[in-house]
Amino acid sequence: MTAPTKPPYGTAADPAPERAPGEPLHSPVIDWFDEHARDLPWRRPEAGAWGVMVSEFMLQQTPVNRVLPVYEQWLARWPRPADLAAEAPGEAVRAWGRLGYPRRALRLHGAAVAITERHGGDVPADHAQLLALPGIGEYTAAAVASFAYGQRHAVLDTNVRRVFARAVTGVQYPPNATTAAERRLARTLLPEDAETAARWAAASMELGALVCTAKNESCHRCPIAAQCAWRLAGKPAHEGPPRRGQTYAGTDRQVRGRLLAVLREAHGPVPQTALDRVWHEPVQRARALDGLVADGLVEPLPGGLYRLPLA
């Protein structure tokens, strides 16, 4: 007597295994990444978790080409969190140079101090412990856990959000701020295997940075163009709230940057008169300086002197 023939998939006796929603996207995107990923220092094994964390702070709202030289100098000077923690926070601001948004330097210094005090100088691998560090939000905690430790987390930066918006949701741009629906979608698209999930996080981010860009997207180079909901719909124009442009000239940000540049280049306290020379409009200049003091980036001293913070 022969064994009964096994029914084909799709019958009631043996239904076909369900595919994860993101499965058709994983292999083509990861294969593309394996071939086209940029050789960046924080992706090399020797970078370690601290190198990954430094890069994630620096890359927020700042392009790679501006980050690279500052990153190299930073890691050469402070190869471990304890090295940075031993310095005054003002030195972190000084070394930050002109990367912009210098409060990130203070937050990174605060994280280094906490890592040194709470974790023996080693960047923790546990996601909850990462999230508990000062200056670390959901994105950075997920990115460090994923990229440094190969864990399974949804890593949602602007590039990933744009890829998911177009390829899956069928719209040109994601919302201005990350929504709960985007987080749910990102978790749904995660591969089950941790190693693959970490690779997927890096690959989808690189795809958004190099191919599925905000402007002039290169669909002919996209490994998932045939599956992209936005492309298949004829690339409908954005219908949501207006995209927020980033202006700089004439803003308080520009004034703050000029004031900080004077303090970074000085070897001691700077008099008010030296700061007054960097911007012609006194009300805006005073507002920018007050903001720097309130943010902890500048320390006022008696006699109308100012310096980068020592504590």
Side-chain angles (χ1 to χ4, degrees):
M1 183 176 178
T2 58
T5 304
K6 188 174 182 179
Y9 282 128
T11 68
D14 192 1
E18 291 187 8
R19 299 180 75 187
E23 190 173 336
L25 306 176
H26 297 156
S27 292
V29 173
I30 292 173
D31 289 347
W32 171 88
F33 181 69
D34 289 342
E35 183 177 353
H36 297 284
R38 292 168 290 181
D39 179 20
L40 300 173
W42 45 86
R43 289 178 177 164
R44 299 168 191 162
E46 61 268 25
W50 173 239
V52 171
M53 177 176 285
V54 170
S55 75
E56 288 300 335
F57 271 82
M58 290 185 174
L59 288 165
Q60 294 170 21
Q61 299 177 293
T62 307
V64 166
N65 63 332
R66 289 182 57 200
V67 165
L68 280 170
V70 181
Y71 174 89
E72 299 281 11
Q73 295 164 10
W74 191 285
L75 268 295
R77 181 174 178 181
W78 298 308
R80 288 180 53 80
D83 301 317
L84 176 58
E87 297 262 20
E91 286 305 301
V93 176
R94 192 188 311 277
W96 199 255
R98 304 192 68 85
L99 283 182
Y101 302 98
R103 278 179 289 183
R104 293 178 293 170
L106 289 183
R107 292 174 183 145
L108 184 51
H109 182 275
V113 171
I115 290 167
T116 303
E117 294 175 348
R118 302 176 195 172
H119 304 287
D122 294 322
V123 177
D126 181 76
H127 180 267
Q129 291 180 335
L130 286 166
L131 200 54
L133 294 173
I136 302 287
E138 175 58 39
Y139 165 77
T140 304
V144 173
S146 178
F147 301 150
Y149 294 113
Q151 296 177 16
R152 183 179 183 270
H153 293 282
V155 183
L156 271 177
D157 81 334
T158 302
N159 291 314
V160 176
R161 294 175 59 225
R162 185 169 56 253
V163 169
F164 290 175
R166 292 175 179 173
V168 182
T169 311
V171 296
Q172 185 177 16
Y173 297 117
N176 286 333
T178 306
T179 64
E182 287 181 284
R183 293 188 178 94
R184 287 194 298 270
L185 174 62
R187 289 193 295 269
T188 300
L189 296 175
L190 265 181
E192 289 298 325
D193 173 67
E195 182 179 353
T196 306
R199 199 72 178 160
W200 162 251
S204 54
M205 187 176 296
E206 189 80 332
L207 185 65
L210 298 184
V211 175
C212 193
T213 57
K215 298 179 180 179
N216 302 318
E217 64 280 350
S218 300
C219 295
H220 65 283
R221 296 193 293 122
C222 180
I224 54 173
Q227 306 174 54
C228 177
W230 181 58
R231 178 177 172 273
L232 293 174
K235 295 187 176 181
H238 177 65
E239 295 182 350
R243 304 291 295 167
R244 293 179 300 195
Q246 291 190 345
T247 57
Y248 184 73
T251 65
D252 284 4
R253 278 187 58 218
Q254 183 180 24
V255 185
R256 285 162 61 103
R258 292 193 177 183
L259 294 171
L260 274 182
V262 173
L263 294 165
R264 283 197 309 270
E265 294 164 7
H267 297 289
V270 172
Q272 176 79 55
T273 53
L275 297 176
D276 288 345
R277 289 195 290 268
V278 306
W279 197 255
H280 63 282
E281 209 290 304
V283 174
Q284 187 179 25
R285 186 179 64 235
R287 183 172 65 243
L289 182 58
D290 288 346
L292 290 171
V293 171
D295 290 341
L297 291 163
V298 172
E299 183 179 344
L301 301 172
L305 299 174
Y306 295 88
R307 70 183 178 193
L308 296 177
L310 293 182

